């Protein structure tokens, strides 16, 4: 992944960054600075990279130098743009060359290229092949006759090249003016003099002209001159004339020398010498001596030297034909031969490697060889060098393909349209895995036939000291007896190093970690004994053996542990760590808490497991002995111990014995010191809690000691104590008179009869190690005179103080305060619950009142029906259960003196259960009052259907039963229903505190009434009630609902039975 990222970075640097371009003038002085490369990342604060050119056959690096540290580019040679153009180093129209530069910094490669455009300097003036020429012209040549003139050459380009010609003549010399005019074709680069006037040798026999060639240079154009002398000859009949004045020839660059290139031919009508024509080469562009050979007699042009398309692509030959007649009468003829060179695949691909030689990066190149040496463990992506591949041919002949075979040892990054590439390592090399890689680069062009070239180079991996010596074993262990003789060889240590053999990296030396009774041969690794062994001094020898190489820059090493165990006999007694153990614990130390630990060692190897026992120095070990010892030497306070008390005993001394399993033992004395702790509070040891103050003694100024009271304090820990008066400080004062003795006296005369004096007692201890104990006491001081009976006064005061204590205990006890808080919280919660229930009740009453009012208005004209159960039914339903669409509203019926029922919908009220009220209720409902009286202990259920509410129904029943004509009810009763009574003799039941209930269905059409009568079969109701404590009863509820197929006045009965058993 790392090299891929690295190559991506290189691609970005090559293709993502635009090429810089500069213009320079040709012919700059050598050493002129033209550019400085500044590559981001190539220069850091601690290290600067090095710059170098990328070698290529198609660039011009030879003309420049680059400073490897600053990246500054200077001219190395004079740069002649015109020479570059002629040698095809650059285009003549725009002479641009490219410098490719690499910057290498810590193995990272940064690529830059620079386009240098060489601007033409007008440093060449036009030059004619000759400075003066002589031309012979017959006097009878016609007007328009052309005399070819060799053109001037200006190797500058563009405006600095030849722009035109001027024809100059001397008026004082020529007797005929403007006989010729100059003709110039810039396209064909032809120059000639055209005759525009008839010549007459009898008037003048010669003319003088100057042809001036000029360029377009600025600020001053340069010129070249050609002096022409024209001789005017007498008439000659015939002159040579070429068959073809322009001849074009295409020659392969591979044509052999001596081959015929072309043949020119001219005709002359004269005979003899006047008709014999000679051919000569007047000019060759570009100049190339000996390249073409012209036969003077035959006009054959043959190849004199090998052609090279890569050097010259075309030639222009000017041929002159002239007869051998008199010089003054011969007029030459001229022809142009244009030779184009055809490119052939005659150049092999050129492979130009440049290998990196950076010792810091770990890469080295063997000079004049194809060998690269690289250190192993060099980071992946290390720059190895760059290779340029070129072919001087053109087209497919110069198009190159190449392949690299490296066994995945290197990777490449292509540059310049596959004309060059950079080489990097593609792995971290390990010399111990492979020490050499052969790399083959093959390049071939696409000509026919294809030409190829091969470059082979070798990558040699240099050994680094990256392998530490390794021992044969992970550790060495051996058992020897203590009687082993001196100079006995104990062990041989051996390690190997995988680095290159016979080098410092693999040369191993052994060292022992510390000075022991063993010696080690550093070369062979032999360990032998040099002193006697004593197992009692040392039972095991442990030391490290280090094997290290001599590699640079840092030797590597490895270490192995060696264990030598000395076998011994049991000849040593256990030895305690201390000669005496002293422990200190406070007297408040808790049971089973560890006090300390004793430890002993046994030098014998096989007898080192010890057991510990406790031995009391006292005559007997009783259960009251407070300490116990574990088998591993931990001392602790026993759980059954009566405890320790500093005041009873402050020190314990005993022995602990350590024994090995072979019977050898050693004892050690142990002392446990008990530290005193403040476990006693100060106490007032006065005999009485009442003090008597005699006012007469104060008034008579008698001895003050009679009104002074001594307060003695006692502390079981013998601590210094302090007593403070907390009240009445303006009257009384306490003064220390001795150790834990204080004196109480009055400042002023006490006026009250009783003073309850409050005191605070505390002991004075170091509170950093313990806590002071504080106690509060009260003394009552009573006042009197000489006539006061002190005994009675003291007893009264004592009773007064006891009463105060009693009241305080019952008034301010923590328990009472807590109980009071609990009661208060309970009362608040009860009030909250009652308020909530009342709120729910009010909401429900409001809703139900609206519902009843609506039903009353809707059914105001309906009739009242009474249904009575004629016979028992077997239908089993839950108590007061309702069918679908029904909603139960429980109400209570209460009989009053004015025969009105008070109805409350949610709270069940108790009703008097006396027989008289129940009998009156039954008589009002049923006309057959006598039968009801006979069977008074009955369970009654009525199903009523009415447009009125429960109050109206019961009210109607009561009202109608009081009327003499109560027979009006039967015509409203269904024939299927009659009143049903269950005798108390058949059913025994417990009385309810709520003897009756009314349930109203949700649609207001069904009313279920349930109640009980509690009269007994005897005449006394109390006797029946008393007999109900052991009876059971069956509770039956009768109700009716309408069905969808019946009219609203027809109801279907439903009976619910439930047996109630007293628990």
């Amino acid at each position: 992944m790392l090299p891929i990222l690295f190559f991506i970075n290189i691609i970005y640097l090559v293709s993502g960054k635009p090429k810089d371009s500069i213009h320079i003038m040709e012919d700059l002085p050598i050493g002129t600075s033209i550019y400085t490369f500044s590559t981001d990342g190539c220069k850091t604060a601690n290290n600067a990279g090095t710059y170098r050119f990328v070698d290529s056959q198609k660039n011009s690096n030879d003309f420049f130098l680059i400073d490897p540290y600053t990246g500054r580019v200077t001219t190395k040679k004079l740069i002649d743009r015109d020479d570059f153009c002629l040698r095809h180093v650059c285009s003549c129209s725009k002479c641009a060359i490219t410098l490719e530069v690499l910057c290498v910094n810590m193995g990272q490669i940064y690529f830059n290229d620079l386009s240098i455009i060489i601007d033409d300097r007008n440093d060449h003036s036009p030059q004619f092949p000759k400075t003066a020429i002589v031309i012979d012209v017959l006097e009878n040549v016609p007007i328009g006759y052309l005399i070819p003139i060799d053109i001037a050459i200006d190797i500058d380009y563009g405006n600095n090249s030849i722009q035109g010609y001027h024809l100059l003549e001397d008026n004082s010399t020529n007797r005929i003016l403007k006989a010729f005019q100059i003709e110039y074709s810039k396209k064909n680069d032809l120059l000639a003099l055209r005759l525009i006037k008839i010549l007459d040798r009898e008037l003048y026999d010669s003319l003088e002209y100057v042809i001036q060639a000029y360029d377009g240079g600025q600020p001053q154009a340069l010129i070249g001159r050609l002096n022409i002398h024209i001789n005017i000859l007498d008439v000659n009949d015939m002159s040579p004339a070429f068959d073809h004045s322009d001849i074009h020839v295409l020659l392969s660059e591979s044509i052999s020398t001596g081959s015929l290139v072309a043949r020119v031919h001219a005709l002359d009508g004269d005979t003899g010498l006047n008709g014999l024509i000679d051919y000569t080469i007047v000019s060759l562009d570009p100049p190339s001596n000996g390249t073409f050979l012209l036969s003077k007699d035959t006009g054959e042009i043959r190849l004199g030297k090998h052609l090279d398309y890569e050097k010259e692509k075309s030639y222009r030959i000017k041929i002159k034909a002239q007869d051998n007649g008199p010089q003054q009468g011969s007029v030459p003829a001229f022809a142009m031969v244009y030779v184009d060179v055809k490119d052939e695949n005659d150049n092999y691909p050129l492979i130009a490697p440049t290998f990196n030689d950076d010792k810091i990066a770990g890469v080295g190149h063997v000079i004049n060889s194809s060998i690269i040496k690289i250190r192993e463990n060099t980071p992946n992506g290390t720059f190895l060098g760059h290779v340029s591949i070129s072919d001087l041919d053109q087209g497919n002949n110069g198009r190159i393909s190449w392949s690299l075979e490296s066994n995945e040892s290197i990777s490449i990054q292509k540059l310049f349209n596959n004309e060059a590439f950079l080489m990097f390592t593609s792995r971290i090399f390990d010399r111990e895995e492979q020490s050499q890689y052969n790399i083959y680069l093959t390049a071939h062009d696409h000509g026919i036939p294809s030409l190829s070239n091969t470059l082979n180079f070798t990558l040699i991996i240099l050994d680094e000291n990256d392998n530490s010596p390794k021992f044969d074993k992970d550790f060495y262990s051996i058992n020897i007896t203590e009687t082993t003789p001196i100079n006995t060889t104990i062990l041989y240590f051996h390690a190997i190093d995988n680095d290159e053999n016979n080098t410092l990296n693999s040369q191993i030396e052994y060292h022992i970690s510390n000075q022991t009774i063993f010696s080690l041969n550093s070369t062979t690794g032999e360990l032998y004994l040099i002193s006697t062994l004593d197992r009692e001094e040392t039972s095991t020898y442990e030391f490290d053996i280090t094997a290290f190489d001599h590699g640079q820059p840092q030797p590597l090493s490895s270490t192995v542990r060696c264990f030598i165990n000395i076998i011994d006999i049991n000849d040593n007694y256990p030895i305690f760590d201390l000669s005496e153990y002293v422990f200190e614990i406070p007297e408040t130390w808790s049971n089973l808490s560890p006090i300390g630990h004793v430890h002993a060692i046994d030098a014998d190897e096989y007898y080192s497991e010890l057991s510990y026992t406790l031995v009391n120095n006292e005559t007997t070990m009783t259960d009251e002995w407070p300490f116990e010892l574990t088998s591993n030497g931990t001392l602790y306070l026993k759980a059954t111990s009566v405890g320790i008390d500093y005041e009873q005993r402050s020190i314990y001394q005993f022995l602990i014995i350590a024994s090995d399993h072979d019977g050898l033992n050693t004892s050690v004395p142990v002392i446990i010191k008990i530290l005193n702790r403040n476990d006693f509070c100060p106490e007032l040891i006065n005999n009485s809690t009442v003090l008597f103050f005699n006012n007469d003694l104060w008034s008579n100024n008698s001895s003050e000691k009679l009104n002074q009271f001594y307060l003695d304090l006692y502390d079981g820990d013998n601590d210094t104590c302090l007593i403070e008066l907390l009240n009445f400080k303006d009257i009384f004062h306490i003064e220390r008179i001795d150790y834990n003795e204080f004196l109480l006296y009055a400042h002023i005369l006490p006026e009250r009869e009783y003073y309850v004096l409050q005191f605070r007692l505390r002991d004075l201890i170091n509170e950093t190690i313990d806590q002071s104990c504080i106690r509060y006491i009260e003394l009552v001081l009573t006042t009197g005179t000489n006539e006061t009976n002190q005994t009675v006064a003291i007893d009264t005061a004592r009773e007064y103080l006891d009463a105060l204590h009693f009241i305080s205990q019952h008034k301010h006890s923590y328990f009472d305060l807590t109980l009071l808080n609990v009661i208060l919280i309970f009362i608040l919660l009860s009030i909250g619950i009652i308020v909530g229930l009342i709120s729910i009740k009010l909401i429900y009453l409001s809703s139900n009142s609206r519902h009843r009012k609506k039903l009353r208005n809707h059914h105001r004209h309906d009739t009242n029906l009474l249904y009575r159960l004629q016979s028992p039914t077997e239908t089993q339903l839950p108590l007061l259960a309702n069918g679908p669409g029904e909603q139960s509203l429980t109400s209570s019926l209460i009989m009053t003196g004015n025969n009105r029922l008070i109805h409350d919908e949610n709270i069940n009220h108790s009703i008097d259960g006396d027989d008289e009220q129940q009998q009156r209720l039954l008589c009002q409902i049923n006309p057959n009052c006598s039968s009801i009286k006979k069977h008074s202990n009955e369970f009654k259920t009525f199903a009523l259907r009415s447009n009125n509410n429960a109050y109206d129904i019961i009210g109607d029943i009561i009202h109608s039963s009081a009327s003499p004509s109560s027979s009006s009810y039967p015509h409203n009763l269904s024939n299927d229903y009659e009143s049903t009574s269950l005798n108390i003799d058949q059913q025994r039941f417990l009385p309810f505190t709520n003897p009756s209930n009314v349930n109203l269905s949700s649609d207001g059409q069904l009313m279920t009434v349930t109640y009980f009568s509690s009269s007994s079969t005897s005449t006394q109701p109390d006797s029946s009630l008393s007999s109900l404590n052991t009876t059971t009863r069956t509770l039956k509820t009768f109700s009716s609902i309408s069905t969808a197929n019946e009219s609203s006045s027809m109801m279907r009965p439903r009976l619910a039975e439930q047996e109630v058993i007293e628990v």
Side-chain angles (χ1 to χ4, degrees):
M1 181 58 71
L2 290 177
I4 294 176
L5 295 176
F6 181 77
F7 298 150
I8 293 175
N9 186 39
I10 291 295
I11 294 174
Y12 172 77
L13 293 175
V14 172
S15 60
K17 183 179 178 181
K19 181 189 297 185
D20 290 338
S21 178
I22 61 172
H23 287 260
I24 64 172
M25 190 65 68
E26 64 174 334
D27 297 330
L28 289 177
I30 295 174
T32 301
S33 177
I34 62 172
Y35 188 78
T36 299
F37 286 95
S38 179
T39 304
D40 294 339
C42 194
K43 292 183 179 180
T44 60
N46 300 324
N47 192 15
T50 56
Y51 293 87
R52 66 184 70 175
F53 287 127
V54 177
D55 293 336
S56 176
Q57 298 296 323
K58 294 185 179 180
N59 59 33
S60 303
N61 295 343
D62 289 342
F63 286 84
F64 302 96
L65 290 175
I66 185 169
D67 190 311
Y69 303 106
T70 64
R72 186 166 62 101
V73 179
T74 57
T75 57
K76 179 181 178 181
K77 300 177 182 179
L78 287 177
I79 299 174
D80 190 344
R81 181 188 188 279
D82 311 303
D83 180 66
F84 279 19
C85 174
L86 292 175
R87 294 193 297 112
H88 305 288
V89 175
C90 65
S91 172
C92 294
S93 59
K94 181 181 179 181
C95 187
I97 61 176
T98 301
L99 293 182
E100 297 86 16
V101 174
L102 293 178
C103 182
V104 183
N105 184 10
M106 301 297 292
Q108 300 293 320
I109 308 300
Y110 301 89
F111 176 79
N112 295 88
D113 54 354
L114 175 67
S115 177
I116 301 177
I117 300 174
I118 302 174
D119 296 330
D120 185 45
R121 184 194 302 273
N122 194 20
D123 56 344
H124 295 89
S125 61
Q127 297 291 330
F128 286 94
K130 297 178 181 179
T131 59
I133 59 174
V134 177
I135 299 175
D136 295 331
V137 179
L138 295 176
E139 62 178 342
N140 63 344
V141 295
I143 294 175
Y145 177 73
L146 291 176
I147 302 175
I149 304 297
D150 291 336
I151 63 174
I153 302 298
D154 192 335
I155 59 178
D156 291 326
Y157 186 79
N159 290 332
N160 295 331
S161 63
I162 295 175
Q163 301 298 312
Y165 295 88
H166 292 296
L167 182 62
L168 305 177
E169 59 181 328
D170 190 352
N171 295 336
S172 61
T173 303
N174 291 340
R175 305 174 92 183
I176 181 173
L177 298 178
K178 297 183 180 180
F180 290 90
Q181 69 178 14
I182 195 165
E183 294 282 341
Y184 173 63
S185 174
K186 191 172 183 179
K187 179 179 180 182
N188 298 322
D189 209 11
L190 295 177
L191 178 65
L193 292 179
R194 180 182 292 276
L195 182 63
I196 59 175
K197 291 183 179 181
I198 298 176
L199 299 178
D200 188 352
R201 187 180 181 282
E202 285 73 20
L203 296 178
Y204 41 85
D205 58 356
S206 65
L207 297 174
E208 298 288 339
Y209 291 98
V210 176
I211 295 180
Q212 181 175 283
Y214 62 90
D215 59 26
Q218 296 294 332
Q220 179 65 43
L222 300 180
I223 61 175
R225 294 176 179 271
L226 175 63
N227 296 319
I228 301 177
H229 180 80
I230 299 177
N231 294 318
I232 301 174
L233 304 176
D234 285 338
V235 175
N236 190 355
D237 292 341
M238 300 296 290
S239 295
F242 281 100
D243 296 341
H244 301 282
S245 59
D246 293 327
I247 300 174
H248 294 270
V249 178
L250 177 63
L251 291 179
S252 171
E253 64 174 334
S254 60
I255 191 172
S256 60
T257 57
S259 299
L260 179 64
V261 176
R263 176 180 293 171
V264 294
H265 182 259
L267 296 175
D268 192 324
D270 294 330
T271 59
L273 293 177
N274 291 335
L276 183 61
I277 299 174
D278 290 335
Y279 299 96
T280 56
I281 296 177
V282 177
S283 63
L284 177 62
D285 181 23
S288 179
N289 294 330
T291 302
F292 298 99
L293 302 176
L294 176 63
S295 174
K296 177 182 178 181
D297 299 326
T298 62
E300 291 182 351
I301 302 173
R302 294 188 177 273
L303 187 63
K305 295 181 179 179
H306 286 289
L307 298 178
D308 191 348
Y309 175 85
E310 287 68 37
K311 293 182 178 180
E312 293 295 341
K313 296 178 176 57
S314 64
Y315 296 90
R316 186 168 58 182
I317 307 172
K318 186 176 182 181
I319 306 296
K320 180 178 75 173
Q322 191 172 17
D323 59 26
N324 287 280
Q327 186 69 25
Q328 64 273 12
S330 176
V331 178
F334 297 91
M336 297 296 298
V337 178
Y338 299 94
V339 179
D340 293 325
V341 181
K342 178 183 178 183
D343 182 41
E344 297 291 345
N345 191 22
D346 58 343
N347 289 280
Y348 286 85
L350 299 178
I351 301 176
T354 301
F355 299 112
N356 188 21
D357 192 6
D358 188 352
K359 298 297 187 294
I360 297 178
V363 180
H365 173 230
V366 180
I367 300 176
N368 298 325
S369 70
S370 296
I371 297 176
I372 304 175
K373 294 183 177 181
I374 181 172
R375 293 198 302 263
E376 64 174 331
N377 299 320
T378 300
N380 192 8
T382 300
F383 179 60
L384 296 178
H386 47 83
V387 177
S388 297
I389 305 174
S390 62
D391 194 316
L392 298 179
D393 294 323
Q394 299 294 316
N396 287 335
N397 296 333
R399 185 163 61 89
I400 303 171
S401 296
W402 51 270
S403 61
L404 184 70
E405 181 181 348
S406 65
N407 194 22
E408 299 181 353
S409 60
I410 66 173
S411 56
I412 61 174
Q413 174 58 48
K414 298 179 181 179
L415 302 173
F416 313 135
N417 297 324
N418 207 29
E419 295 179 356
F421 61 88
L422 306 177
M423 295 185 298
F424 304 89
T425 60
S426 63
R427 66 172 63 179
I428 297 178
F429 295 105
D430 187 353
R431 190 207 65 84
E432 288 71 37
E433 178 183 340
Q434 186 171 345
S435 60
Q436 178 175 313
Y437 295 85
N438 295 319
I439 301 170
Y440 305 96
L441 173 63
T442 301
H444 65 89
D445 58 28
H446 291 261
I448 301 177
S450 176
L451 301 179
S452 62
N453 198 357
T454 301
L455 171 66
N456 300 333
F457 61 94
T458 303
L459 193 63
I460 296 178
I461 311 303
L462 300 179
D463 184 45
E464 287 286 308
N465 190 26
D466 58 346
N467 287 277
S468 59
K470 293 183 179 180
F471 283 93
D472 296 340
K473 299 179 180 180
D474 295 333
F475 65 91
Y476 291 83
S477 178
I478 190 173
N479 298 328
I480 61 175
T481 63
E482 60 179 341
T483 58
T484 302
I486 298 176
N487 295 325
T488 300
T489 299
I490 306 300
L491 280 173
Y492 284 95
F493 298 97
H494 181 258
I496 58 174
D497 195 313
N498 290 327
D499 288 324
E500 188 174 0
N501 294 331
N502 302 322
T503 63
L504 294 177
N505 292 338
S506 60
Q507 182 179 342
I508 298 176
E509 188 172 333
Y510 301 92
H511 277 226
I512 192 168
S513 60
N514 48 24
Q515 295 294 331
T516 66
I517 61 175
F518 304 97
S519 180
L520 180 67
N521 188 313
S522 62
T523 303
T524 63
E526 179 184 3
L527 182 72
Y528 54 91
L529 185 66
I530 60 175
S531 181
T532 58
L533 298 172
D534 187 354
R535 199 270 175 198
E536 283 69 33
E537 293 183 1
T538 306
S539 61
T540 301
Y541 291 89
E542 296 184 18
F543 48 86
D544 292 330
I545 301 297
T546 302
F548 64 89
D549 56 29
H550 293 77
Q552 296 297 327
Q554 181 66 37
L556 299 180
S557 64
S558 62
T559 301
V560 68
R561 193 73 172 171
C562 181
F563 302 91
I564 298 180
N565 301 315
I566 309 302
I567 301 175
D568 193 20
I569 60 174
N570 186 25
D571 57 350
N572 290 277
Y573 285 84
I575 300 176
F576 282 93
D577 296 343
L578 301 175
S579 61
E580 182 183 53
Y581 287 88
V582 178
F583 302 104
E584 293 182 348
I585 61 173
E587 59 181 338
T588 56
W589 199 259
S590 58
N591 293 343
L592 297 180
S593 296
I595 298 173
H597 186 76
V598 297
H599 180 259
I601 58 175
D602 194 320
D604 296 324
E605 178 180 5
Y606 299 104
Y607 304 90
S608 59
E609 293 185 3
L610 304 177
S611 60
Y612 301 87
T613 56
L614 186 148
V615 179
N616 186 9
N617 294 334
E618 300 178 2
T619 57
T620 59
M621 289 282 288
T622 64
D623 293 338
E624 295 182 357
W625 179 257
F627 307 109
E628 189 58 86
L629 183 69
T630 63
S631 61
N632 64 352
T634 300
L635 189 66
Y636 63 94
L637 195 63
K638 292 195 302 184
T640 59
S641 173
V642 296
I644 54 177
D645 190 350
Y646 172 83
E647 286 71 27
Q648 296 180 6
R649 183 170 181 175
S650 62
I651 189 168
Y652 293 85
Q653 296 180 344
F654 50 91
L655 297 176
I656 291 180
I657 298 177
S659 304
D660 61 23
H661 61 270
D662 196 34
L664 297 182
N665 61 77
T666 304
S667 63
V668 65
V670 178
I671 299 174
I672 297 180
K673 296 180 179 181
I674 309 302
L675 303 179
N676 187 24
R677 285 295 179 261
N678 191 25
D679 54 350
F680 288 92
C681 288
E683 297 181 5
L684 183 65
I685 60 176
N686 289 41
N687 294 328
S688 176
T689 59
V690 180
L691 306 176
F692 180 79
F693 188 90
N694 193 331
N695 292 335
D696 292 340
L697 295 179
W698 179 281
S699 302
N700 297 331
N701 294 324
S702 300
S703 176
E704 296 182 356
K705 294 183 179 180
L706 296 178
N707 280 330
Q708 294 178 348
F709 308 99
Y710 291 93
L711 305 178
D712 296 331
L713 302 182
Y714 170 75
D715 189 292
D717 297 319
N718 296 323
D719 295 327
T720 300
C721 301
L722 180 66
I723 183 170
E724 302 176 57
L725 180 63
L726 302 179
N727 58 352
F728 302 112
K729 294 181 180 180
D730 55 339
I731 302 176
F732 301 100
H733 180 70
I734 292 180
E735 181 180 339
R736 180 192 295 271
I737 59 175
D738 201 351
Y739 174 76
N740 289 351
E741 292 184 4
F742 298 87
L743 182 65
L744 174 68
Y745 59 90
H747 288 295
I748 60 176
L749 179 63
E751 297 179 354
R752 294 165 53 179
E753 181 180 1
Y754 295 107
Y755 290 91
V756 179
L757 302 181
Q758 297 176 352
F759 299 91
R760 178 169 58 196
L761 283 64
R762 65 186 179 93
D763 47 13
L764 302 179
I765 63 172
N766 186 359
E767 295 192 359
T768 59
I769 61 175
D770 208 346
Q771 186 175 2
S772 177
C773 181
I774 298 176
R775 172 174 291 177
Y776 294 90
I777 65 171
E778 290 182 347
L779 298 179
V780 60
L781 184 144
T782 179
T783 61
T785 63
N786 292 331
E787 299 177 355
T788 303
N789 188 335
Q790 294 187 16
T791 302
V792 175
I794 291 174
D795 292 340
T796 304
R798 184 177 294 109
E799 293 175 358
Y800 173 73
L801 181 62
D802 293 340
L804 290 178
H805 287 170
F806 179 79
I807 295 173
S808 176
Q809 291 175 358
H810 286 75
K811 184 176 180 180
H812 301 289
S813 67
Y814 177 80
F815 174 77
D816 291 340
L817 291 177
T818 304
L819 182 59
L820 180 61
N821 293 336
V822 171
I823 293 173
L824 180 59
I825 293 174
F826 178 79
I827 292 174
L828 293 177
L829 290 176
S830 300
I831 293 174
I833 294 172
I834 293 172
V835 171
L837 292 176
I838 293 174
S839 301
I840 295 173
K841 175 66 177 179
L842 292 176
I843 295 173
Y844 183 81
L845 287 176
S846 176
S847 174
N848 192 49
S849 178
R850 290 194 300 268
H851 182 66
R852 290 197 305 271
K853 183 177 180 180
K854 180 177 179 181
L855 294 176
R856 188 185 303 116
N857 294 332
H858 182 70
H859 301 286
R860 187 171 302 274
H861 302 290
D862 290 351
T863 58
N864 298 331
L865 299 178
L866 175 63
Y867 293 87
R868 292 175 297 175
L869 186 62
Q870 183 175 8
S871 61
T873 177
E874 296 301 324
T875 304
Q876 299 294 322
L877 296 174
L879 180 60
L880 299 181
N882 300 307
E886 292 182 313
Q887 180 179 358
S888 294
L889 299 177
T890 302
S891 303
S892 296
L893 300 177
I894 300 177
M895 293 296 297
T896 60
N898 56 0
N899 297 328
R900 298 294 297 175
L901 296 176
I902 300 175
H903 177 259
D904 184 70
E905 294 178 79
N906 286 313
I907 303 176
N908 294 329
H909 297 279
S910 297
I911 181 174
D912 240 4
D914 59 82
D915 299 338
E916 183 181 359
Q917 289 184 346
Q918 295 179 18
Q919 186 173 351
R920 287 168 53 195
L921 175 62
L922 296 176
C923 289
Q924 292 171 355
I925 296 177
N926 194 337
N928 193 4
C929 186
S930 60
S931 64
I932 297 177
K933 287 183 179 180
K934 181 179 180 181
H935 305 285
S936 58
N937 289 338
E938 294 176 343
F939 165 79
K940 296 295 184 178
T941 300
F942 297 92
L944 307 177
R945 185 175 182 275
S946 174
N947 61 329
N948 298 324
N949 56 25
Y951 303 101
D952 297 333
I953 295 172
I954 301 301
D956 291 342
I957 296 173
I958 296 173
H959 178 71
S960 60
S961 64
S963 174
S965 59
S966 58
S967 60
S968 59
Y969 275 94
H971 71 273
N972 291 327
L973 297 177
S974 173
N975 295 328
D976 297 332
Y977 295 92
E978 291 295 334
S979 174
T980 301
S981 298
L982 298 178
N983 193 284
I984 193 63
D985 296 333
Q986 300 171 358
Q987 295 193 27
R988 297 154 56 191
F989 60 93
L990 292 173
F992 276 87
T993 56
N994 49 343
S996 59
N997 290 306
V998 177
N999 295 305
L1000 181 65
S1001 63
S1002 60
D1003 59 358
Q1005 299 300 307
L1006 178 63
M1007 180 68 68
T1008 301
V1009 181
T1010 303
Y1011 71 97
F1012 300 91
S1013 61
S1014 57
S1015 60
S1016 176
T1017 56
S1018 64
T1019 59
Q1020 298 297 330
D1022 294 337
S1023 63
S1024 66
L1025 293 176
S1026 62
S1027 64
L1028 297 177
N1029 294 331
T1030 57
T1031 60
T1032 61
R1033 63 176 175 81
T1034 299
L1035 177 64
K1036 296 185 179 181
T1037 301
F1038 175 79
S1039 62
S1040 295
I1041 59 172
S1042 62
T1043 61
N1045 298 328
E1046 296 172 340
S1047 63
S1048 61
S1049 63
M1050 296 300 294
M1051 307 298 289
R1052 195 173 283 236
R1054 187 177 62 182
L1055 178 64
E1057 295 184 3
Q1058 182 170 347
E1059 185 176 9
V1060 180
I1061 303 175
E1062 179 184 11
V1063 179

